[in-house]
């Protein structure tokens, strides 16, 4: 199988391309810059899918919580375009692909379309919940998934993975908090009681690999670990794995100033999310609990 990975040079994309290559797949990457086994987004727009492509995976997206970027209208538009427009470009290329070679399109989005514990009830949401548009992040998720809708006429199978915070040493949230926690300056965010949907990067990549292989893997699937934890529980587990204290709590008003309230909600609120489809599809987590995930992230064995 020949796989095209959008965002293959990013945090998730690098780990995914390594797994796919080691699993015998021929992998090409879509990125902003050309290179070996790469095409640019302009190339994709102009020429469509590389010949022989039988699977497309999109993990592209600007880091919303980049602490070096102010929450300006321009940055918000970049966050939106890097997700919605990249997804739409891939679907457009798929619709132009030869009808005799249908494949699978896996799009990785988020869980922000589910109501957070601070905006509605505290129930647990699985794939049966339709989601609610109530802020910028939820509207982004709905637009993201709408862009990922592959026309049935193409014959391609569509998979929409909704992921929580992806835990891995190379980047994402861990990349932002690793140093403060190492220095003993870490701690919960805001009240610490808000749910933190999460998944280890190895499990996410393994889910994507399963989605490529399994013909009945389609539609919306929550790519979240089975253990539901709060921000405080995660902070405790991560500090314990590092053998450091985590006495400092970051007040919500400070986060609202640092990130702007519209994106600070990703830190200060969260939904309780579970997946009933992953067990039905036969997926087994390597890191089902937050302690084992944090231990791996810091390079320790249990």
């Amino acid at each position: 199988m020949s796989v095209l990975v959008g965002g293959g040079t990013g945090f998730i994309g690098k780990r995914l391309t390594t797994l796919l290559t080691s699993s015998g797949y021929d992998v090409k990457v879509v990125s902003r810059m050309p290179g070996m086994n790469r095409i640019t987004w302009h190339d994709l727009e102009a020429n469509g899918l590389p010949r022989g492509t039988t699977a497309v995976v999109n993990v592209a997206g600007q880091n919303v919580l980049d602490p070096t970027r102010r929450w300006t209208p321009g940055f918000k538009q970049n966050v939106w375009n890097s997700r919605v427009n990249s997804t739409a470009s891939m679907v457009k290329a798929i619709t132009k692909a030869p009808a005799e070679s249908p494949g699978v399109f896996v799009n990785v989005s988020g869980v922000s379309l589910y109501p957070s514990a601070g905006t509605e009830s505290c129930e647990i949401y699985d794939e049966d919940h339709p989601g609610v548009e109530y802020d910028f992040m939820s509207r982004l998720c709905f637009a993201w998934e709408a862009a990922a809708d592959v026309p049935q006429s193409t014959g391609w199978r569509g998979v929409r993975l909704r992921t929580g915070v992806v835990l891995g040493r190379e980047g994402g949230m861990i990349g932002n908090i690793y140093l403060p926690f190492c220095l003993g300056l870490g701690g919960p965010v805001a009240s610490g009681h808000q749910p933190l949907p999460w998944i280890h990067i190895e499990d996410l990549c393994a889910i994507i690999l399963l989605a490529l292989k399994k013909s009945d893997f389609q539609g919306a699937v929550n790519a979240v670990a089975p253990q539901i934890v709060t921000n405080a529980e995660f902070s405790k587990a991560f500090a314990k794995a590092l053998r450091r204290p985590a006495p400092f709590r970051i007040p919500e008003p400070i986060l609202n100033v640092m990130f702007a309230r519209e994106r600070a909600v990703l830190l200060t609120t969260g939904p309780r999310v579970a997946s009933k489809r992953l067990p039905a599809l036969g997926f087994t987590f390597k890191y089902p609990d937050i302690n084992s995930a944090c231990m791996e992230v810091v390079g320790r064995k249990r």
Side-chain angles (χ1 to χ4, degrees):
M1 185 179 287
S2 180
V3 185
L4 182 68
V5 179
T9 59
F11 165 49
I12 299 172
K14 286 180 180 178
R15 183 72 74 96
L16 177 62
T17 55
T18 298
L19 174 62
L20 293 177
T21 301
S22 66
S23 300
Y25 290 81
D26 176 33
V27 182
K28 288 184 174 61
V29 168
V30 191
S31 68
R32 286 172 292 183
M33 300 297 293
M36 182 71 70
N37 292 323
R38 294 186 191 181
I39 65 171
T40 65
W41 290 100
H42 176 75
D43 293 333
L44 181 69
E45 182 77 20
N47 305 318
L49 300 180
R51 179 174 294 181
T53 300
T54 51
V56 176
V57 180
N58 190 28
V59 291
Q62 169 76 44
N63 179 8
V64 180
L65 291 172
D66 184 344
T68 68
R69 302 293 300 272
R70 293 178 56 245
W71 192 239
T72 63
F75 183 63
K76 286 174 62 175
Q77 192 63 49
N78 190 27
V79 166
W80 188 282
N81 291 346
S82 67
R83 288 162 171 75
V84 178
N85 291 5
S86 66
T87 304
S89 293
M90 294 191 127
V91 170
K92 183 178 179 181
I94 288 171
T95 61
K96 294 180 178 179
E100 65 272 12
S101 59
V104 54
F105 175 48
V106 180
N107 189 61
V108 179
S109 60
V111 296
S112 292
L113 78 172
Y114 296 118
S116 71
T119 60
E120 205 173 277
S121 68
C122 295
E123 66 180 288
I124 297 173
Y125 302 105
D126 61 26
E127 294 89 348
D128 288 339
H129 194 279
V132 178
E133 290 191 46
Y134 60 93
D135 63 0
F136 175 84
M137 296 301 169
S138 61
R139 290 191 295 272
L140 172 58
C141 281
F142 272 98
W144 203 351
E145 292 205 352
D149 190 19
V150 182
Q152 289 187 352
S153 59
T154 64
W156 279 59
R157 176 166 52 92
V159 178
R160 304 189 309 278
L161 294 181
R162 300 166 177 169
T163 182
V165 172
V166 181
L167 304 182
R169 179 67 183 88
E170 299 87 354
M173 183 180 76
I174 296 296
N176 290 334
I177 69 172
Y178 199 90
L179 181 58
F181 270 79
C182 272
L183 296 174
L185 302 175
V189 167
S191 70
H193 300 309
Q194 67 274 27
L196 182 70
W198 66 278
I199 187 170
H200 192 283
I201 191 169
E202 283 189 33
D203 282 325
L204 175 58
C205 292
I207 290 170
I208 295 172
L209 181 59
L210 182 65
L212 299 185
K213 294 179 177 180
K214 200 169 176 61
S215 60
D216 59 343
F217 200 132
Q218 60 184 352
V221 177
N222 291 339
V224 292
Q227 184 186 26
I228 298 175
V229 301
T230 64
N231 182 277
E233 289 167 337
F234 161 76
S235 298
K236 181 180 179 181
F238 190 51
K240 181 180 178 182
L242 287 168
R243 296 174 178 166
R244 297 289 191 276
F248 297 98
R249 186 183 301 274
I250 305 177
E252 184 173 342
I254 292 179
L255 292 166
N256 289 337
V257 172
M258 287 176 59
F259 293 103
R261 184 179 179 83
E262 198 169 40
R263 65 170 167 169
V265 294
L266 291 173
L267 299 170
T268 59
T269 66
R272 290 181 173 85
V273 184
S275 177
K276 73 175 186 180
R277 294 207 57 206
L278 283 177
L281 289 163
F283 183 77
T284 301
F285 280 86
K286 185 176 181 180
Y287 301 101
D289 63 275
I290 197 64
N291 287 321
S292 64
C294 287
M295 291 286 276
E296 192 285 330
V297 166
V298 304
R300 289 182 57 202
K301 295 182 180 181
R302 299 192 69 176

